[in-house]
Amino acid sequence: MDEKLKIKISIADRVYPLTVDFTQEEGLRSASKKIDAMIKQFEENYAVRDKQDVLAMCALQFASQAEQKQIDNAINGEETIERLNKINLLLDEYLEN
């Protein structure tokens, strides 16, 4: 079924009503908790003027983490292909003998 839920997510002391798929609820609630925890951390550790600055810092942090994961996955993908090619060469050599 394609059930939709109406939920309220709180981020930076603001409530956002959302209509989401049932399967998205847990992820959205978890993300909002992580955002609020990051906001608290930035407010405690840096001199920030307002919530907009903190939210921008959070957005940059999350975006950079996502980008780094893509870079890491691309590197790991290249290493995997290289290993598979080496195994393939070894198998070819073995089968030729």
Side-chain angles (χ1 to χ4, degrees), residues 7-63:
I7 62 173
K8 292 182 180 179
I9 298 292
S10 175
I11 299 173
D13 300 325
R14 286 186 135 177
V15 176
Y16 298 91
L18 301 171
T19 302
V20 300
D21 289 333
F22 179 77
T23 57
Q24 293 178 304
E25 180 186 14
E26 184 178 351
L28 287 167
R29 292 193 188 281
S30 176
S32 72
K33 286 179 185 177
K34 287 181 181 179
I35 292 168
D36 279 336
M38 191 177 287
I39 287 170
K40 184 178 179 183
Q41 181 183 9
F42 280 131
E43 287 176 335
E44 289 174 356
N45 295 325
Y46 301 101
V48 289
R49 291 181 294 164
D50 60 21
K51 289 286 186 196
Q52 183 67 34
D53 292 337
V54 175
L55 289 170
M57 292 167 70
C58 288
L60 179 61
Q61 182 80 13
F62 280 116

Side-chain angles (χ1 to χ4, degrees), residues 64-79:
S64 67
Q65 289 171 357
E67 289 297 318
Q68 189 60 50
K69 282 182 184 178
Q70 285 184 338
I71 291 167
D72 292 345
N73 288 340
I75 291 169
N76 289 338
E78 290 172 11
E79 290 174 3

